[in-house]
Amino acid sequence: MSAKPGIIRVAGLVRESIVDGPGIRFVVFAQGCPHRCEGCHNEAALDFSGGYELETGKIMLEIEKNPLLSGVTFSGGEPFCQPEGFLRLARKLKEKNTHIISYSGYSFEDLEALAEQDEDVKELLGRIDILIDGRFAIEERDLALQFKGSANQRYIDMNATRESGGLVVLDSL
């Protein structure tokens, strides 16, 4: 994890993805993950000391180069292990009304509990449009699923969840 303000330790960036959410998306892969799911599709992103550091402003400049993007996806590793950096990026994205999807190996309920202890997690959850939550479960792996790896993971409409005050899970994106 990066303790430097405005910095995200990344495993990499994908400037145009069609597999990390609907439309053409810019993807920021967080470096570091505590979950260690069996069959992880991104093992290179597990080590917290791997990857490289990028300033959120530089990431934003890369995002702004492509006017055809449908949105930005935070993936990993585990984005919520670096809430300060991803929050700074999310603030800049929302200034431009950019759609944000975030993956997390934590459940929504676990993230809510973390948010009670960490204001950055709380505010980051408040800026995400869709959360795809839950650890990858190899026994529930299904290649036919869109934008998620196993059937236990959920698509959560965060805007509707905030508006209703109750969890709103979508069948698909």
Side-chain angles (χ1 to χ4, degrees):
M1 286 190 295
S2 176
K4 299 177 186 174
I7 299 289
I8 298 174
R9 180 166 286 279
V10 300
L13 305 174
V14 174
R15 285 164 175 75
E16 293 184 352
S17 171
I18 59 169
V19 297
D20 297 291
I24 301 169
R25 305 191 71 83
F26 190 102
V27 186
V28 181
F29 288 93
Q31 182 69 43
C33 183
H35 306 299
R36 304 294 195 255
C37 303
E38 181 184 352
C40 175
H41 82 285
N42 200 1
E43 287 186 7
L46 296 178
D47 183 357
F48 283 97
S49 62
Y52 54 98
E53 293 182 339
L54 274 178
E55 294 176 4
T56 56
K58 288 185 179 179
I59 297 170
M60 193 67 194
L61 287 173
E62 290 300 309
I63 293 166
E64 290 173 335
K65 287 180 182 179
N66 188 345
L68 301 177
L69 292 174
S70 303
V72 174
T73 299
F74 301 159
S75 192
E78 174 57 65
F80 285 91
C81 285
Q82 299 184 63
E84 190 274 342
F86 278 97
L87 173 56
R88 282 190 186 221
L89 182 56
R91 285 176 180 152
K92 292 175 185 180
L93 291 167
K94 285 302 172 186
E95 287 173 8
K96 307 273 187 189
N97 294 316
T98 304
H99 185 268
I100 301 173
I101 291 175
S102 184
Y103 287 86
S104 179
Y106 293 110
S107 69
F108 171 77
E109 294 79 8
D110 289 340
L111 289 171
E112 279 195 312
L114 285 172
E116 291 178 16
Q117 310 293 322
D118 188 326
E119 280 297 316
D120 289 342
V121 170
K122 182 177 182 177
E123 188 178 342
L124 181 56
L125 281 172
R127 292 178 185 271
I128 292 168
D129 297 293
I130 300 289
L131 175 68
I132 301 173
D133 81 330
R135 293 172 50 112
F136 171 72
I138 198 161
E139 63 277 2
E140 294 188 56
R141 179 179 183 225
D142 184 345
L143 296 177
L145 295 171
Q146 191 175 39
F147 311 127
K148 61 182 184 175
S150 57
N152 63 298
Q153 295 171 312
R154 302 178 291 184
Y155 309 111
I156 299 172
D157 183 331
M158 293 298 293
N159 296 318
T161 294
R162 287 187 289 272
E163 286 174 20
S164 71
L167 187 64
V168 178
V169 179
L170 303 172
D171 292 331
S172 64
L173 292 186

